[in-house]
Amino acid sequence: MSARDEVLTRVRAALQESDGAAAPELRGAMSAQAPVPRDYRAAGEDPPGSAAVIDLLDERVADYRAEVHRVAPHEIGTTVARILEGSSAVVVPSGLDAGWTSELAASGTALLTDSREAPLDVQTLDGADGVVTAARVAIAETGTIVLDGEPDQGRRAISLVPDLHVCVVRHDQAVQTVPEAVRLLAEHPERPQTWISGPSATSDIELVRVEGVHGPRTLHVLLVG
Amino acid sequence: MSTYLGLPTLRRKGDAGGRATPSGTRPDEPFGPVPHPDDPLRWGETFPQAARAALGNDQMRANLGHATSTIRAKRASVVGEVPDWEALRDAGAAIKTHVMAGLPDLLEELERNVTARGGVVHWARDAAEANRIVAELVRAAGVDEVVKVKSMATQEIGLNEALAEAGIAATETDLAELIVQLADDMPSHILVPAIHRNREEIRRIFLERMADAPADLTDAPRELAMAARAHLRRKFLTAKVAISGANFAVADTGTLSVVESEGNGRMCLTLPETLITVMGIEKLVPTFTDLEVFLQTLPRSSTGERMNPYTSLWTGVTPGDGPQKFHLVLLDNGRTRALADDVGRAALHCIRCSACLNVCPVYERVGGHAYGSVYPGPIGAVLTPQLTGSSGHGDPNSSLPFASTLCGACYDVCPVKIDIPSLLVHLRARVADEDRGRRVPTGWGAAMKAASAVMSDGGRFALAEKGTVVARILAGRKGYVRHLPFPASAWTASRDLPAPAKQTFRDWWAKEHEQPGERSDR
Ligand code: SF4
């Protein structure tokens, strides 16, 4: 018998041997017949993009020691240029709004365009000073931004290897709760997702949180609206 | 280890450098005696013996006490701010119940969806088969070096040692795993494997074992983390093959997920050409939206953060983005044995958050190594003997169900509501039954039975608290309890008292085991 068939046979035999509820005092062993109780919040009390959600997102992202910038749409280019001032090369995904980086380019920084069709090699990414991307959705309660690899966010590698990440989030992309974001992302589960909550960090030494390990050590989030 | 050259440790199974003591430790090991097991799920002495030895290690106890109290406070604060926490726990528990009941179909569904998206699914009956599959895949990729992101499944099967035997060097890239690997140590916690080390010890390990560590390295956590970043950077950027575990696999989409902090996971999951993921067959969730439950409860329960810095989700192969070859190894290795058992099945619900370790008064005192398994702490005490099966009297794993005060803290924090204390009582009763079958004339089996009956009945529980039934059975044992052979050794029997555990346990332990003058760390 193949390993596959044997494992599946064992699983089926195991399920016949026990219904998992023979010992009623095992409080964890509930019935598999009853539907899953979903009494948790499927959405927050504040609608996506509302002032309350943006304020909470701002607070929670900043709590991870990421830098939050509240800007109007016409201020994106100036803010990006200011954050990346003096950079020699910055990576941009091919679908990024060109207006976001035109001021930066005008100041003499080289823009390195990356796409699935024409990917930059990892050494080039490593040599870049930073990367600018859009986002798919942001979760206020957890201070999380999610990228799903579409052309304005780019391949997963470009938001990973450069040491500084500037992420632009529109107000209408911000939801209050995790379920709201997951249900939106479930429309395209096949897209590679990266959930980002602050700069890379570790708590492996005495459980003290230290920001900045292998991922970008600096994260700037622009909240635009 | 004076010949250490900064290369990954190529420790082979059972290779203790000719310096092993009978208990499998090396007393001359520069970073303290560490276990070197042949079997990652069964090493060392029985729990009471190992616990007694561990209690002599003041440094480790201080490190652990500091770390676990920090994480407990963080967890309590971020869980407290979630208004629907209990509803999330209920949903998590129910989803896992459904997963176990529907496992065969869900596994086939996962396989179909991963395959449809360009992944290759492999099945492994046991550790040896999984290790062989991985080694062959690495060889087929034409390399002898791989990077790894921390994974309990690969620790459980001893993958690094098996790869070393096949001439393949595996570099652990999680900071705590790197510390453990450099020190040639064993992990002592499922989330923070080097939790038993403090910053000064880590500094010494880096200076002595990491060839490129800066000579002026201090013990500031930030500096230590930066040293690890520099050390691993080139490996990440040049690795051809990565090996990972998975926190969740979604049956209805074929999506895999890894939850991490440092970005080493993203490096492994994104940059190499080939990704090999080894995953226990119980790690499934039925639908993509089920993630909305666990991606809330796992981070808050494990690191005490609202969300961990990075969560990656991928589905098979994405053309032009990330590894273009993806292999998923589905691992049994005792899980179907556990599944056939009520206790085992409940234990398979575990999402490895480690909250139960951090709140456990026994774990906090004795540390992870005393459990003799890569799965320590309350859940390890249940899961380990279920995965291995118990070979009965004398099997060190038979003592694990006694490694608890039954105080209930682990149940209260478990994000999938595994009733660990009740499971432990069941397992204890079984050990007692087995021994009665052997007619071991200790009489302790009666105490076990009595305690177990008491634990499962509220009325009798109250009676016992007044000190009538169980206390009388146990009272006569106190004087000589330390001198009985396992499993009557000890604390085991007397800890079956449903006492308000933490303080009582400590008092009891202090009285029974601490030498005069030894600090009690309270
Ligand atoms: S048993 Fe529960 S609390 Fe313990 S590690 Fe598993 S999920 Fe977490």
Side-chain angles (χ1 to χ4, degrees):
Chain A
M1 208 190 300
S2 72
R4 175 186 190 277
D5 292 345
E6 188 166 338
V7 172
L8 284 170
T9 303
R10 285 184 196 170
V11 173
R12 291 204 168 88
L15 292 178
Q16 261 155 28
E17 219 164 293
S18 154
D19 63 2
E25 70 274 30
L26 300 184
R27 278 170 280 178
M30 46 184 64
S31 166
Q33 270 70 55
V36 172
R38 296 192 191 264
D39 302 328
Y40 55 84
R41 295 171 304 152
E45 50 277 7
D46 294 311
S50 61
V53 165
I54 300 304
D55 286 346
L56 186 63
L57 179 63
D58 181 344
E59 176 203 316
R60 296 280 155 96
V61 171
D63 203 39
Y64 297 124
R65 275 172 250 177
E67 306 249 356
V68 181
H69 310 259
R70 304 277 289 258
V71 299
H74 69 272
E75 296 168 321
I76 297 175
T78 312
T79 312
V80 167
R82 201 181 60 236
I83 293 169
L84 289 162
E85 194 184 338
S87 301
S88 50
V90 167
V91 178
V92 291
S94 58
L96 196 77
D97 185 330
W100 295 358
T101 49
S102 50
E103 198 167 320
L104 180 68
S107 75
T109 298
L111 299 182
L112 310 174
T113 303
D114 183 278
S115 68
R116 289 183 189 173
E117 296 71 32
L120 298 168
D121 65 35
V122 75
Q123 279 69 33
T124 307
L125 293 178
D126 196 32
D129 298 293
V131 58
V132 183
T133 74
R136 173 82 178 113
V137 62
I139 307 164
E141 284 187 353
T142 60
T144 303
I145 50 183
V146 184
L147 313 188
D148 74 355
E150 287 300 283
D152 59 347
Q153 299 149 63
R155 297 185 304 130
R156 284 169 282 172
I158 69 166
S159 56
L160 172 64
V161 179
D163 203 13
L164 184 151
H165 181 193
V166 180
C167 187
V168 180
V169 179
R170 297 191 317 266
H171 283 188
D172 65 0
Q173 293 180 304
V175 299
Q176 184 183 330
T177 65
V178 171
E180 286 166 271
V182 168
R183 289 167 193 203
L184 193 136
L185 294 163
E187 289 167 17
H188 289 286
E190 77 288 354
R191 292 182 186 166
Q193 293 173 19
T194 306
W195 295 36
I196 298 171
S197 306
S200 73
T202 182
S203 302
D204 280 353
I205 300 165
E206 299 181 9
L207 290 168
V208 176
R209 184 176 160 113
V210 177
E211 281 82 15
V213 197
H214 305 297
R217 285 182 280 190
T218 308
L219 174 67
H220 291 266
V221 177
L222 272 58
L223 299 181
V224 181
Chain B
M1 298 298 284
S2 54
T3 55
Y4 188 76
L5 297 171
L7 297 166
T9 307
L10 284 173
R11 193 172 77 219
R12 288 171 168 78
K13 278 191 172 183
D15 168 18
R19 294 179 290 169
T21 63
S23 62
T25 61
R26 290 193 273 179
D28 57 341
E29 155 66 42
F31 302 110
V34 292
H36 283 68
D38 284 337
D39 182 348
L41 288 175
R42 190 190 270 123
W43 83 65
E45 305 165 300
T46 64
F47 183 81
Q49 290 165 323
R52 193 167 299 133
L55 280 166
N57 187 341
D58 284 351
Q59 183 64 65
M60 187 208 69
R61 242 185 322 150
N63 295 352
L64 264 179
H66 171 68
T68 53
S69 62
T70 305
I71 192 80
R72 281 198 301 271
K74 284 171 71 183
R75 179 203 162 273
S77 125
V78 297
V79 164
E81 70 183 32
V82 179
D84 50 352
W85 185 254
E86 287 308 315
L88 288 166
R89 289 178 79 212
D90 286 336
I95 291 169
K96 282 296 184 179
T97 304
H98 280 256
V99 167
M100 297 311 147
L103 198 52
D105 294 345
L106 291 171
L107 283 168
E108 288 185 305
E109 189 182 0
L110 175 73
E111 181 187 42
R112 258 196 320 277
N113 286 318
V114 169
T115 309
R117 299 281 312 170
V120 181
V121 177
H122 309 258
W123 300 70
R125 282 165 277 222
D126 54 24
E129 189 164 26
N131 289 335
R132 200 166 56 239
I133 292 168
V134 175
E136 276 165 19
L137 290 171
V138 175
R139 262 197 232 104
V143 299
D144 58 5
E145 216 184 325
V146 298
V147 286
K148 271 190 74 200
V149 49
K150 176 179 153 29
S151 131
M152 291 310 302
T154 58
Q155 264 171 28
E156 172 194 324
I157 61 177
L159 179 65
N160 291 2
E161 289 75 14
L163 289 177
E165 256 167 40
I168 297 161
T171 302
E172 292 290 354
T173 63
D174 176 82
L175 177 53
E177 287 284 6
L178 177 70
I179 295 163
V180 166
Q181 192 178 41
L182 288 173
D184 206 13
D185 198 350
M186 284 297 283
S188 69
H189 188 277
I190 59 181
L191 183 81
V192 195
I195 196 169
H196 56 294
R197 301 292 191 186
N198 65 19
R199 57 185 74 185
E200 174 51 28
E201 292 170 282
I202 295 166
R203 173 179 164 269
R204 280 195 294 124
I205 290 166
F206 278 12
L207 283 175
E208 209 161 309
R209 299 280 176 90
M210 209 161 78
D212 50 2
D216 58 350
L217 187 68
T218 74
D219 66 359
R222 183 167 176 86
E223 266 193 51
L224 296 169
M226 286 312 110
R229 175 185 166 104
H231 175 67
L232 290 172
R233 189 100 184 148
R234 192 195 56 82
K235 282 196 192 304
F236 282 135
L237 300 189
T238 56
K240 296 269 181 281
V241 178
I243 298 173
S244 84
N247 291 95
F248 306 102
V250 181
D252 78 341
T253 61
T255 305
L256 276 291
S257 177
V258 163
V259 170
E260 52 128 0
S261 294
E262 296 165 15
N264 62 310
R266 290 180 69 193
M267 289 279 179
C268 291
L269 302 170
T270 308
L271 298 185
E273 293 160 8
T274 301
L275 171 63
I276 305 168
T277 299
V278 181
M279 184 190 96
I281 53 172
E282 83 283 17
K283 290 261 162 175
L284 279 167
V285 297
T287 69
F288 191 88
T289 42
D290 288 327
L291 293 174
E292 71 192 19
V293 174
F294 300 110
L295 290 180
Q296 292 191 74
T297 51
L298 177 58
R300 291 183 197 255
S301 299
S302 56
T303 51
E305 293 168 300
R306 297 187 179 107
M307 190 64 81
N308 49 291
Y310 297 131
T311 295
S312 295
L313 293 102
W314 73 99
T315 307
V317 171
T318 305
D321 184 352
Q324 296 301 295
K325 290 185 181 139
F326 172 55
H327 296 271
L328 176 63
V329 181
L330 295 173
L331 176 72
D332 180 346
N333 202 36
R335 284 165 178 75
T336 48
R337 182 209 316 276
L339 189 68
D341 181 287
D342 289 343
V343 171
R345 187 177 307 185
L348 289 178
H349 291 193
C350 174
I351 58 171
R352 313 275 191 268
C353 73
S354 75
C356 59
L357 279 64
N358 301 331
V359 299
C360 178
V362 176
Y363 176 86
E364 186 184 22
R365 301 274 290 180
V366 304
H369 290 158
Y371 295 78
S373 163
V374 297
Y375 298 113
I379 186 60
V382 179
L383 191 59
T384 300
Q386 286 292 310
L387 288 176
T388 59
S390 168
S391 57
H393 199 74
D395 180 345
N397 282 353
S398 307
S399 65
L400 285 175
F402 301 92
S404 166
T405 67
L406 304 178
C407 73
C410 48
Y411 173 66
D412 293 340
V413 296
C414 179
V416 288
K417 293 183 89 166
I418 301 174
D419 186 358
I420 299 173
S422 293
L423 300 180
L424 289 170
V425 169
H426 271 256
L427 292 180
R428 290 180 188 190
R430 280 186 210 168
V431 175
D433 284 345
E434 274 174 31
D435 261 32
R436 201 174 5 271
R438 288 189 185 78
R439 271 169 286 165
V440 175
T442 60
W444 77 289
M448 295 291 126
K449 261 290 191 211
S452 140
V454 165
M455 286 303 294
S456 56
D457 180 311
R460 271 182 290 166
F461 186 98
L463 193 64
E465 273 190 325
K466 293 198 184 86
T468 54
V469 186
V470 176
R472 210 173 50 236
I473 297 168
L474 296 174
R477 320 181 44 74
K478 268 215 155 178
Y480 56 87
V481 90
R482 290 176 69 184
H483 310 295
L484 288 175
F486 169 79
S489 48
W491 83 323
T492 57
S494 53
R495 290 320 309 149
D496 274 314
L497 270 172
K502 196 165 174 176
Q503 198 50 44
T504 309
F505 166 74
R506 290 179 169 199
D507 288 349
W508 177 86
W509 187 273
K511 207 159 74 220
E512 290 288 316
H513 293 274
E514 284 187 4
Q515 304 304 314
E518 187 180 340
R519 61 188 276 264
S520 67
D521 191 33
R522 256 174 273 175

